[in-house]
Structure formats: C-alpha cells, structure tokens
Amino acid sequence: NYPNPFNPSTAIPVQVPHAANVTLKVYNILGEEVATLHAGMLEPGRHIFTWEGRNNAGASVASGVYFVRFATVSGPSFVGKMLLMR
C-alpha cells in the first residue's frame, strides 16, 4: 500500500492474471476483521482499492497497525502491514 504510514487514506494496488473471485479485507492487530474492501469477481489486470481508515460501519478507526489480506478462492493469498497515524 502507499503511502505507508498513512493519514487519512491509503491506496492498495492488486493485480490478477485472470478473472477470479477474491476478497480484500482489513484486520486489526488482534486479527479481527475491520473492513471489507472487496468481495467478488475481479477481471484480469491491475486494480487499486482505497481504504480511508474506516470500519464496515463507517466509523473511523484508531491509529495503529492494520493488516490487509488479499485472497482468492482457489489460489494464494497475500498479507501486508499498514500503519495508520491520526
């Protein structure tokens, strides 16, 4: 993601080689799901998702370390660390 650390938002680029059913979720340091940025099909190519430091309910989250997880149903997953500084 970039920028990292970030405030108020960060861009998360992903690239998929072929159409796939994927999830892109943000988790806190305890492993609790904070936000779902995407769940569903993605066409091949590069995609950029933005997280503005809000949970699924739309409330701002606290400063700290968060993890973004990109996963496909039938393939690999990737986890990245992000630092939100308010």
Side-chain angles (χ1 to χ4, degrees):
N1 67 300
Y2 60 88
N4 193 16
F6 69 97
N7 180 17
S9 67
T10 188
I12 304 163
V14 298
Q15 184 155 344
V16 292
H18 51 81
N21 192 8
V22 303
T23 58
L24 185 64
K25 295 185 177 192
V26 177
Y27 297 88
N28 65 18
I29 196 80
L30 300 175
E32 300 167 329
E33 183 180 324
V34 173
T36 299
L37 304 179
H38 183 81
M41 290 298 293
L42 273 185
E43 294 300 316
R46 182 176 165 95
H47 305 273
I48 299 177
F49 296 91
T50 301
W51 185 49
E52 297 179 351
R54 297 186 178 277
N55 63 19
N56 282 332
S60 292
V61 297
S63 295
V65 175
Y66 292 88
F67 298 94
V68 59
R69 182 174 186 258
F70 174 80
T72 62
V73 173
S74 61
S77 64
F78 171 80
V79 176
K81 184 168 64 170
M82 306 182 290
L83 179 59
L84 171 60
M85 297 178 65
R86 295 243 183 238

